[in-house]
Amino acid sequence: MPQGTYSVANTAIVPVGANGQISIYNYAGSANLIVDIGGYYDNNQATSAGGTFVPLNPARIVDSRSGLGTTKAKWGAGETRAVQVTGQGGVPSSGVSAVVVNVTGSGPSANSWMRAWGAGSAPSTSMLNLTAGQDAGAMVQSGLTSDGKLNLYLSAGSVDVLVDVEGYYLTPDHDAQNYFVPIAPTRILATSSGLNVKAGKVTPGSSVTVPVRGVAVNSSTVVPNSKSVSAVVVSLTEAHNNAGGFLTAYPTDQARPNASVMNYQSGVCPKLCVSGLA
């Protein structure tokens, strides 16, 4: 395989520093970094969406191989299916504002990617990158449609899709703190294009500062500029790294931890290389 030609992604929940920023540290190799934000935690009671998180024993609610929760057939290129989440796998039929699921693509026939979203139009960002012949999975935290469904889109080829539900968020009329507020996945940083950062690959042993509170894209504020925003849910993608290593995400005003949020290999996208952290 050609070296340094594969992209690897992962989802992480990262506390926000007092300065409203997070940092992403790259251990080895030079790589472009992409950061997409999918929601934030707000410790203000008066939020318009989100709520207390309720964990569940993981339960499979969709499996296109058997026809569980969807048509018994692989997703095709350009196909979107709306899969029912509320009322399935321990998720209540009502009072749910968002869901946490693990989406797995099994046996993809081509290099492709998937998108996941609830109400409204499809986002411009992917949540799962697929390499032909290799299974991969990713954690997704997303709002739902008004009837409790999650939309899943495949860009190319064909693939069997499995969805395991891991928990859900209650609507804000329940007593809670640190509400999760889902937003349409939005790219807030890309070193390849210079979006909210100086263009150029992240060098070995260096960190990138990512503004999150009050961050704006195309003159539109993505996350409120409020100290009540305590953490964010971000999808990190490293592209074309020329050496194996890992990424670490942490509050900018705190010491870098030893734990990583994503590991990668040079030129190789291993099985389940796209995974989620809860």
Side-chain angles (χ1 to χ4, degrees):
M1 293 183 181
Q3 294 297 298
T5 58
Y6 294 91
S7 299
V8 183
N10 207 346
T11 300
I13 299 173
V14 188
V16 176
N19 57 5
Q21 300 173 340
I22 62 173
S23 293
I24 312 298
Y25 170 81
N26 179 46
Y27 171 71
S30 298
N32 282 312
L33 173 67
I34 297 170
V35 181
D36 301 327
I37 190 164
Y40 59 92
Y41 290 85
D42 193 319
N43 57 29
N44 226 331
Q45 296 284 332
T47 53
S48 60
T52 300
F53 176 67
V54 181
L56 294 171
N57 290 329
R60 183 148 298 167
I61 60 173
V62 172
D63 189 339
S64 62
R65 300 171 303 181
S66 64
L68 174 66
T70 188
T71 304
K72 187 179 179 181
K74 290 187 174 185
W75 261 249
E79 181 180 3
T80 299
R81 295 189 201 176
V83 299
Q84 187 68 43
V85 177
T86 55
Q88 307 297 317
V91 180
S93 298
S94 61
V96 175
S97 64
V99 68
V100 179
V101 295
N102 191 74
V103 179
T104 300
S106 178
S109 64
N111 294 343
S112 61
W113 44 264
M114 295 191 71
R115 289 174 176 159
W117 73 100
S121 57
S124 60
T125 60
S126 63
M127 58 83 187
L128 175 62
N129 297 309
L130 296 168
T131 300
Q134 296 183 354
D135 295 358
M139 183 192 78
V140 178
Q141 296 196 83
S142 175
L144 301 171
T145 62
S146 60
D147 55 353
K149 294 179 180 178
L150 180 69
N151 293 297
L152 296 172
Y153 167 86
L154 177 68
S155 67
S158 61
V159 68
D160 276 311
V161 175
L162 293 68
V163 180
D164 300 321
V165 64
E166 299 179 358
Y168 59 92
Y169 292 88
L170 298 171
T171 50
D173 52 345
H174 292 73
D175 182 26
Q177 293 182 354
N178 288 326
Y179 287 95
F180 174 65
V181 183
I183 59 178
T186 304
R187 187 147 300 166
I188 59 173
L189 185 140
T191 61
S192 54
S193 64
L195 174 64
N196 286 330
V197 70
K198 182 179 179 180
K201 289 187 174 182
V202 183
T203 55
S206 64
S207 297
V208 174
T209 299
V210 184
V212 287
R213 286 183 189 150
V215 65
V217 176
N218 297 326
S219 300
S220 178
T221 300
V222 180
V223 177
N225 187 14
S226 169
K227 290 185 178 180
S228 66
V229 176
S230 59
V232 289
V233 178
V234 291
S235 177
L236 309 175
T237 302
E238 69 83 28
H240 310 310
N241 200 305
N242 56 13
F246 61 82
L247 295 181
T248 298
Y250 57 100
T252 297
D253 61 344
Q254 296 183 21
R256 175 169 56 86
N258 293 326
S260 64
V261 297
M262 184 174 76
N263 296 279
Y264 49 81
Q265 300 179 39
S266 174
V268 178
C269 184
K271 184 176 181 180
L272 292 178
C273 67
V274 185
S275 62
L277 300 177

